Amino acid sequence: LCEIKPAEGRHTAVRGPRLARVELYYRYLAALLAGGKGDEEGITMPAAEAAFQESFISYVEEFVHLPCISTDLRAYTIFINDKEALKELRMGLIAALKERSSQIQVPADVSILEGGTLRETKKAIRCLVGYYQLLELMGYHKGLDRKAARDKVYELVKLYDTAAPLSKEIDEREAGVADEFLGVASNILINSYLREEKQYGGIGHLMSAALLLERLVSRSKYSNVHNLRLCSLYLVMGVPQLAYEAYDRCDIKNIQLDTLTHFFLYGCIAAGANDTAYQLCGDISGFMNGFDRDSADLIFHAFSHGSYMKVLEMSAFKKRLESSHMKAVAAAEERILEIKVAGLNIAG
């Protein structure tokens, strides 16, 4: 499975086999850290670390331009960050990622590019985004001091400005090729706030992070990724009205009421926005109860048309909704909010 075979003189650009190599050496590391043996050949920890780093960097070099690169490798970065025994491996990966990212050059004016040069520039920008995302996952930005963090944010904003012309014609619901530069920059500012809150009072870091995300939303107004980030940040800052505006732009409906509302509901309740939280609980319960009410007709309709796979799918979906965590949370919080609002009315 892990062997990459040439096809027509080139290596096939398939993620699975290369990712399988990363998984294999990750399991070697996990087994050795747990006190077991690597395999019958007695592989050592240094050898396992070297093999893991080689497979990890090899995968990055091949696929860093893809938007899924951080998702593919997230679990492995979490594993490495959590293990003190793998500190040297973590530092080696960070050094390798920094070295490769420093070799990428972006033209100062991308608006005049066209054809193959334009495609290569877009790929280079996407590669830079991938390297910065991976460095963030490895915890590199959390270790930056105040000045270094500020310089890195400035660098990322400058990169975004340079690449912004490439995103002028995309749809308002789509993310631009360089959007994650500001996403990473906002995360650096949030980490600076968490590190410096007691020393400097650092609310300015959160405000700056919100402004960067607002800048993204001003171009991709209906991008769920940007709006959900902004929603979570505004709730942390204690501004539920602005958080609701960001949440409302996401146009969350149907099954998203089960999978995405946690971004908003808990913070809304904590911030004391009782009316908004009560409305959201009602929306969640309404969707759940509506599907429960209509599911029998839908299943019968599918069965009568011979769509037996649909029958099985809808039956399984109905069972999952019945055991949904958000359904239970919405039902409980709705009753609590009714009591709370009634008490406030009496007190008023």
Side-chain angles (χ1 to χ4, degrees), residues 155-295:
E155 177 187 340
L156 289 164
V157 172
K158 189 175 179 181
L159 282 169
Y160 175 80
D161 289 338
T162 300
L166 300 176
S167 304
K168 281 185 177 179
E169 298 180 1
I170 67 170
D171 187 82
E172 286 186 323
R173 294 185 180 276
E174 297 179 25
V177 66
D179 283 5
E180 282 304 311
F181 285 136
L182 293 191
V184 173
S186 67
N187 289 340
I188 293 174
L189 289 167
I190 291 169
N191 285 326
S192 295
Y193 164 76
L194 294 173
R195 187 173 59 249
E196 301 177 359
E197 180 182 6
K198 293 181 180 179
Q199 185 175 359
Y200 299 106
I203 189 66
H205 292 308
L206 290 186
M207 295 176 67
S208 298
L211 288 173
L212 290 180
L213 294 176
E214 285 284 7
R215 185 176 178 188
L216 285 178
V217 169
S218 68
R219 187 193 55 74
S220 300
K221 186 175 182 181
Y222 300 106
S223 169
N224 280 7
V225 173
H226 305 329
N227 279 301
L228 288 175
R229 280 176 170 171
L230 199 54
C231 175
S232 299
L233 183 56
Y234 278 141
L235 287 172
V236 169
M237 295 173 68
V239 195
Q241 299 87 348
L242 294 177
Y244 181 76
E245 290 179 11
Y247 170 83
D248 192 50
R249 285 193 295 267
C250 294
D251 192 26
I252 290 174
K253 54 190 176 184
N254 298 330
I255 190 58
Q256 292 176 329
L257 288 166
D258 180 63
T259 58
L260 293 179
T261 45
H262 64 277
F263 279 101
F264 183 61
L265 179 60
Y266 300 130
C268 203
I269 293 170
N274 297 327
D275 293 339
T276 304
Y278 185 77
Q279 178 185 342
L280 183 55
C281 288
D283 292 342
I284 296 170
S285 299
F287 163 69
M288 302 289 185
N289 296 334
F291 184 84
D292 188 52
R293 182 178 60 251
D294 299 336
S295 59

Side-chain angles (χ1 to χ4, degrees), residues 121-183:
T121 299
K122 284 185 176 180
K123 184 175 180 180
I125 291 170
R126 203 31 259 179
C127 288
L128 265 181
V129 168
Y131 280 121
Y132 276 116
Q133 287 178 316
L134 290 172
L135 285 169
E136 181 182 11
L137 289 176
M138 296 299 299
Y140 168 68
H141 297 138
K142 290 182 180 179
L144 299 177
D145 59 32
R146 199 179 193 200
K147 182 181 183 303
R150 184 171 63 245
D151 292 342
K152 184 60 67 175
V153 169
Y154 176 78
E155 177 187 340
L156 289 164
V157 172
K158 189 175 179 181
L159 282 169
Y160 175 80
D161 289 338
T162 300
L166 300 176
S167 304
K168 281 185 177 179
E169 298 180 1
I170 67 170
D171 187 82
E172 286 186 323
R173 294 185 180 276
E174 297 179 25
V177 66
D179 283 5
E180 282 304 311
F181 285 136
L182 293 191

Side-chain angles (χ1 to χ4, degrees), residues 15 19 22 59 63 66-76:
R15 289 158 51 215
L19 194 58
V22 182
Y59 185 85
F63 300 110
L66 298 179
C68 62
I69 185 68
S70 61
T71 306
D72 288 348
L73 299 175
R74 182 184 300 272
Y76 307 116

Side-chain angles (χ1 to χ4, degrees), residues 43-61:
I43 188 171
T44 62
M45 177 61 80
E49 289 186 12
F52 178 86
Q53 180 166 334
E54 185 277 328
S55 62
F56 187 98
I57 295 300
S58 175
Y59 185 85
V60 170
E61 288 177 335

Side-chain angles (χ1 to χ4, degrees), residues 102-115:
S102 66
Q103 296 171 0
I104 299 174
Q105 301 296 325
V106 178
D109 186 1
V110 299
S111 61
I112 61 174
L113 302 179
E114 57 184 24

